[in-house]
Amino acid sequence: KTPVCNFGEKAKDFNLLSTENNRVSLNDIKGENGTLIMFICNHCPYVIATIDDIVHTAKELEKEGVKSIAIMSNDPTDYPEDSFENMIKFHEKYDFGFPYVYDEDQSVGIKYDAVCTPDFFGYNKNLELQYRGRIYELNNEVRPRVRKENSPNELLAAMLKVSKTTEGPKNQIPSIGCSIKWKQ
């Protein structure tokens, strides 16, 4: 479960290799009206359950001047599905409209205090944190997990609010997922 949003906390810089074989920094993906930084991976059932909606949400947000990036901080030693080669396949399979980058030394995940996949960090145009919640409610009664019926897309609503007002919603429900796989 992600911690409560630390409103106003500044985004931290990074320079990471993307699945398209170029380096991407915070400045490269800063959106005119906001920036969504997501920590995901390839194997997590929570990510797999939501990835189509994550990609769709990012495409909707881009129309509103909010850019997105996904960062993979897991150690692939015990989870070979999260290797860089498999990141490339995952990126292509789901047709990401945003960079997918590899945090090989895990320093970015640590700097952001990322705790799970997916973990969403929504920033306003000044790169101040305004959202640290979930995409929507998952139905925990079924495996694999699916979106709970009639559950609104809280991530989209929050980031649209951020894009228009620079402020996120005061009430946010934490994202849940698999823990980040830290190196031993």
Side-chain angles (χ1 to χ4, degrees):
K1 216 162 90 162
T2 56
V4 176
C5 181
N6 185 9
F7 286 97
E9 184 177 56
K10 285 292 212 177
K12 290 142 190 89
D13 200 14
F14 51 80
N15 188 330
L16 298 170
L17 182 64
S18 86
T19 54
E20 295 167 294
N21 206 29
N22 59 333
R23 298 201 70 84
V24 182
S25 71
L26 178 62
N27 203 43
D28 294 330
I29 55 101
K30 182 181 185 289
E32 188 185 333
N33 295 322
T35 305
L36 177 60
I37 298 173
M38 308 172 271
F39 287 84
I40 69 167
C41 68
N42 311 327
H43 86 276
C44 167
Y46 291 91
V47 172
I48 292 165
T50 56
I51 193 65
D52 286 325
D53 293 312
I54 288 171
V55 170
H56 174 74
T57 298
K59 286 181 178 153
E60 289 300 305
L61 291 174
E62 182 133 9
K63 296 174 191 168
E64 303 299 324
V66 176
K67 287 195 177 170
S68 301
I69 188 169
I71 300 173
M72 206 296 292
S73 293
N74 277 359
D75 176 10
T77 307
D78 293 331
Y79 294 87
E81 290 166 82
D82 287 335
S83 72
F84 188 69
E85 293 71 30
N86 285 327
M87 285 176 62
I88 294 168
K89 291 176 189 161
F90 196 72
H91 181 258
E92 289 169 356
K93 177 179 179 182
Y94 291 101
D95 191 25
F96 289 15
F98 49 86
Y100 190 21
V101 297
Y102 184 28
D103 179 21
E104 191 170 4
D105 68 2
Q106 302 186 312
S107 62
V108 178
I110 291 165
K111 269 200 284 198
Y112 275 81
D113 197 24
V115 295
C116 63
T117 54
D119 198 345
F120 302 102
F121 292 78
Y123 294 90
N124 64 19
K125 65 183 180 185
N126 305 315
L127 293 174
E128 298 160 335
L129 187 63
Q130 295 296 319
Y131 191 68
R132 182 95 189 263
R134 65 187 181 182
I135 184 165
Y136 45 62
E137 189 174 358
L138 289 171
N139 183 343
N140 289 318
E141 310 302 310
V142 293
R143 299 283 184 279
R145 287 184 171 76
V146 294
R147 183 175 185 167
K148 192 165 190 181
E149 206 176 335
N150 301 321
S151 171
N153 186 328
E154 296 164 33
L155 175 64
L156 180 61
M159 289 309 295
L160 288 174
K161 181 180 188 319
V162 169
S163 75
K164 289 171 178 60
T165 69
T166 74
E167 293 183 5
K170 293 299 164 230
N171 294 324
Q172 302 179 10
I173 298 166
S175 185
I176 56 169
C178 299
S179 63
I180 302 255
K181 308 307 183 223
W182 302 108
K183 290 180 176 156
Q184 293 308 310

